[in-house]
Amino acid sequence: MEIKEVNSVLKAPAPHMVGDGFRVHNFFPGGYKIDMNPFFLMDYGSKIDFSARKEPRGVGVHPHRGFETVTIAYHGAVAHHDSSGNSGVIYPGDVQWMTAGSGVLHKEYHEENYSLNGGPFQMVQLWVNLPAKNKMSKPDYQAIKQADMATFILPDHGGKIEIIAGNYQGTKGNANTFTSIELYNARLNKNGKAFFNFPEHYNTGFMVIEGKIKINHNQIAEVNSFVHFKNEGEKIEVEALENSIVLILSGEPINEPIVQYGPFLMNTEAEIHQAIEDYNQGRFGYLEE
């Protein structure tokens, strides 16, 4: 089995604010023109300290259609609500997997107690594309608490792999997905090693959340960098040079046209026009600011 070699190690692009609560580095599609399909977008909120505040920071009501948002928390806490009646809080280690499908209105803010106290904040949000046949599926929501997450303990005190979606060495993740997606948090102790096998044609990338790692015995990747792999070979070895957390993404590409307009991700211009009309006509439901 051949090694899946590194294509590039990408530094975090300049950050921008989403609302007043989320400072993010957009690795793709804006920061770098890399193919990570079915992952359409990755906003990485590198660690930042927010001051205490009575009125929570965040982003107000906004629509989504045609894809899923996956929010992964490392520090801080986010409260969220949508027009389908779902709400909850994403605490450190937790994952929120929201299927926008045919359309929802959504808002997310710093959780009240976190806002009152302030402190470190670090998260990732992914947009996962949906196949054409599933784009108008019923909105859904999966709350995956860290305490309930499927976990594989690595040998030799190497650490552990938290399987959010997919299957790592026979341990299956909690999330239900429309296409083949592997999404893990590798929490590695210093000198710990982990081995991964992904099909050649899967688009694969590693986000270094904490620490410093060595890949395939030769490539170094430091905190806040994204490792993009070639679509050749299948095997990857990771060694932690210090205690590290690495978000592992790999997925089978959806070979369909993509048309994006703001928070809508569809297959044709006509579908985008329909999404705008449906939103303007109030067909995404109602959500109070």
Side-chain angles (χ1 to χ4, degrees):
M1 189 179 294
E2 289 187 19
I3 297 294
K4 187 182 284 290
E5 293 185 358
V6 171
N7 188 32
S8 51
V9 177
L10 307 171
K11 293 184 178 180
H16 68 274
M17 293 299 294
V18 177
D20 66 355
F22 305 98
R23 188 197 70 167
V24 301
H25 310 266
N26 180 248
F27 273 89
F28 56 87
Y32 296 98
K33 302 304 179 187
I34 57 174
D35 187 2
M36 280 297 297
N37 179 0
F39 307 100
F40 177 80
L41 174 149
M42 187 179 77
D43 275 343
Y44 168 59
S46 59
K47 194 185 293 184
I48 182 175
D49 278 305
F50 280 104
S51 59
R53 181 170 161 173
K54 189 174 182 180
E55 189 68 28
R57 299 173 176 88
V59 59
V61 176
H62 55 283
H64 291 303
R65 172 179 280 182
F67 62 100
E68 301 180 291
T69 64
V70 181
T71 305
I72 305 159
Y74 298 96
H75 293 278
V78 171
H80 64 90
H81 303 265
D82 71 36
S83 56
S84 291
N86 297 308
S87 65
V89 178
I90 313 163
Y91 291 105
D94 296 347
V95 175
Q96 178 221 50
W97 198 298
M98 185 184 79
T99 304
S102 60
V104 293
L105 302 179
H106 191 236
K107 63 179 181 179
E108 45 212 327
Y109 291 90
H110 292 183
E111 185 270 334
E112 186 177 0
N113 285 332
Y114 167 75
S115 187
L116 288 171
N117 291 288
F121 193 90
Q122 186 182 26
M123 300 208 178
V124 170
Q125 186 170 89
L126 302 167
W127 288 15
V128 179
N129 191 21
L130 288 172
K133 66 181 181 180
N134 302 121
K135 281 193 177 294
M136 295 297 286
S137 59
K138 183 181 177 182
D140 194 16
Y141 167 77
Q142 301 176 73
I144 307 171
K145 297 293 185 184
Q146 186 180 34
D148 303 325
M149 208 169 282
T151 302
F152 182 92
I153 304 300
L154 295 167
D156 304 319
H157 306 288
K160 63 183 179 180
I161 309 294
E162 295 173 346
I163 302 97
I164 301 165
N167 188 315
Y168 181 79
Q169 296 194 21
T171 301
K172 191 176 183 302
N174 303 56
N176 295 313
T177 64
F178 286 87
T179 59
S180 296
I181 289 171
E182 304 293 325
L183 187 64
Y184 323 139
N185 271 321
R187 299 180 183 269
L188 306 176
N189 298 324
K190 184 178 179 180
N191 300 322
K193 292 183 179 180
F195 299 87
F196 303 94
N197 291 293
F198 301 120
E200 264 192 16
H201 69 290
Y202 277 35
N203 290 319
T204 302
F206 291 2
M207 182 70 229
V208 185
I209 306 294
E210 281 186 18
K212 185 177 181 180
I213 60 174
K214 183 187 286 187
I215 301 164
N216 298 333
H217 303 287
N218 56 26
Q219 190 80 51
I220 304 294
E222 300 191 0
V223 65
N224 299 338
S225 61
F226 184 78
V227 184
H228 185 228
F229 290 86
K230 296 180 180 179
N231 291 107
E232 302 168 5
E234 297 181 351
K235 186 178 178 183
I236 302 168
E237 178 183 322
V238 176
E239 179 183 358
L241 302 180
E242 52 192 68
N243 290 347
S244 300
I245 300 174
V246 187
L247 178 63
I248 312 293
L249 302 84
S250 189
E252 185 170 24
I254 300 169
N255 295 316
E256 297 174 351
I258 293 175
V259 180
Q260 183 214 0
Y261 179 80
F264 306 132
L265 194 61
M266 304 303 290
N267 298 104
T268 67
E269 293 280 355
E271 289 171 340
I272 293 291
H273 293 309
Q274 186 65 54
I276 295 168
E277 181 183 338
D278 289 347
Y279 170 62
N280 289 334
Q281 293 296 322
R283 296 177 187 135
F284 282 43
Y286 174 75
L287 186 61
E288 187 177 344
E289 283 283 358

